[in-house]
Amino acid sequence: MLTKKVLWGFRALVKTAGHGIATTAVIALLVGATHSYAEELTPVSSSLGSQGFETIGQEGGVTVYKDPDAEFVRVAAEATMQVSPAVLLAALLDYEGQKGIVKTMSHSQVMSRGPNRLVVYQRLDLPVIDDRDYTLNVTWGQEGSNYWVRFEVAPRDPRPEVDGVVRVPYHSGSWQLQSTQGGKATWVRLQTSMDLAGWLPKWLAKSAAADEIPKVFTDLCTLLARDRGEGAPCL
């Protein structure tokens, strides 16, 4: 039987993995599966339902989705945030500024920068289970007043593996930011999947991931409030 301590530790892992905050996402612990990974970006002109997602609930203005048939965890969310797309994009790309927001993130370091490109190393300091780490390739772009961010684990991680830390083999996702309310607000779509390797049953991974997704958005609001010196709700 899984103890309450283990369940709490796993939920902390899911909440953290849903971040980077642009890493965002959220998350499976599976054993030895062979995956057929999907590109985690559905055009805003298409519904998430067309990509196998089902609506499973709404909390605090955030609509949460999951793919019940995926062999690993795939989750998504949509919400309208009361901030402009450009300001929201800056917060999503503030990887090094996220350490004070995501409590279990022990390292979040930008390794290199280029035009619309970042390489980011992150390590998660987790209770109960082994720490995880990964290096992400992050890209972003703009189409008119709208933006997108895409992130994916680097196929050849240049950093040596650390004893006692599990290297994440797969993490892919996207944020899409669509201007609304005359540019004063942003319709947001987060879509992500992840394989953290290790153990714990898939049903638990799916349940915890879906439960934690709204907190990704509220933590993003906390980051925005800190950077802008504002306390007004952003959802």
Side-chain angles (χ1 to χ4, degrees), residues 199 204 212:
W199 65 280
L204 177 59
E212 294 295 339

Side-chain angles (χ1 to χ4, degrees), residues 30-38 69-72 169-170 195 202:
L30 305 177
V31 182
T34 300
H35 297 310
S36 175
Y37 293 126
D69 298 322
E71 54 183 319
F72 54 96
Y170 170 75
D195 176 5
K202 188 189 303 184

Side-chain angles (χ1 to χ4, degrees), residues 142-193:
Q142 181 176 3
E143 298 176 3
S145 57
N146 304 325
Y147 297 88
W148 54 265
V149 179
R150 298 176 69 174
F151 49 90
E152 188 166 14
V153 161
R156 293 179 178 83
D157 198 319
R159 300 178 64 94
E161 294 193 23
V162 180
D163 287 344
V165 179
V166 177
R167 179 64 46 85
V168 171
Y170 170 75
H171 184 18
S172 177
S174 64
W175 290 84
Q176 296 184 78
L177 315 177
Q178 190 170 45
S179 179
T180 186
Q181 299 179 23
K184 296 180 180 179
T186 306
W187 177 84
V188 182
R189 173 183 284 173
L190 166 64
Q191 183 176 333
T192 185
S193 59

Side-chain angles (χ1 to χ4, degrees), residues 9 20 53 65 169-170 200 223:
F53 290 97
Y65 305 82
Y170 170 75
L200 285 180
L223 178 61

Side-chain angles (χ1 to χ4, degrees), residues 90-214:
L92 290 171
L93 297 176
D94 184 14
Y95 279 92
E96 293 182 341
Q98 293 167 17
K99 285 194 294 183
I101 303 298
V102 185
K103 302 303 181 185
T104 51
M105 186 179 292
S106 60
H107 298 285
S108 186
Q109 181 181 1
V110 175
M111 306 300 296
S112 67
R113 300 177 185 270
N116 294 73
R117 180 188 63 82
L118 296 174
V119 177
V120 181
Y121 172 76
Q122 294 188 322
R123 177 171 170 176
L124 311 181
D125 182 9
L126 304 169
V128 183
I129 63 176
D130 289 337
D131 291 1
R132 261 61 175 176
D133 73 350
Y134 47 83
T135 298
L136 290 174
N137 291 328
V138 183
T139 57
W140 66 94
Q142 181 176 3
E143 298 176 3
S145 57
N146 304 325
Y147 297 88
W148 54 265
V149 179
R150 298 176 69 174
F151 49 90
E152 188 166 14
V153 161
R156 293 179 178 83
D157 198 319
R159 300 178 64 94
E161 294 193 23
V162 180
D163 287 344
V165 179
V166 177
R167 179 64 46 85
V168 171
Y170 170 75
H171 184 18
S172 177
S174 64
W175 290 84
Q176 296 184 78
L177 315 177
Q178 190 170 45
S179 179
T180 186
Q181 299 179 23
K184 296 180 180 179
T186 306
W187 177 84
V188 182
R189 173 183 284 173
L190 166 64
Q191 183 176 333
T192 185
S193 59
M194 193 175 191
D195 176 5
L196 286 169
W199 65 280
L200 285 180
K202 188 189 303 184
W203 66 264
L204 177 59
K206 289 184 176 184
S207 174
D211 289 347
E212 294 295 339
I213 277 233

Side-chain angles (χ1 to χ4, degrees), residues 2-80:
L2 296 171
T3 67
K4 289 184 178 180
K5 185 177 181 182
V6 171
L7 289 171
W8 179 84
F10 179 65
R11 286 184 178 276
L13 166 64
V14 169
K15 181 178 179 180
T16 305
H19 290 54
I21 283 170
T23 321
T24 229
V26 199
I27 311 342
L29 293 177
L30 305 177
V31 182
T34 300
H35 297 310
S36 175
Y37 293 126
E39 183 180 48
E40 296 298 350
L41 190 150
T42 300
V44 295
S45 59
S46 299
S47 69
L48 289 170
S50 69
Q51 300 301 310
F53 290 97
E54 294 181 357
T55 305
I56 59 171
Q58 188 173 54
E59 180 179 333
V62 180
T63 303
V64 181
Y65 305 82
K66 73 175 180 181
D67 180 351
D69 298 322
E71 54 183 319
F72 54 96
V73 171
R74 294 181 70 218
V75 291
E78 295 174 336
T80 296

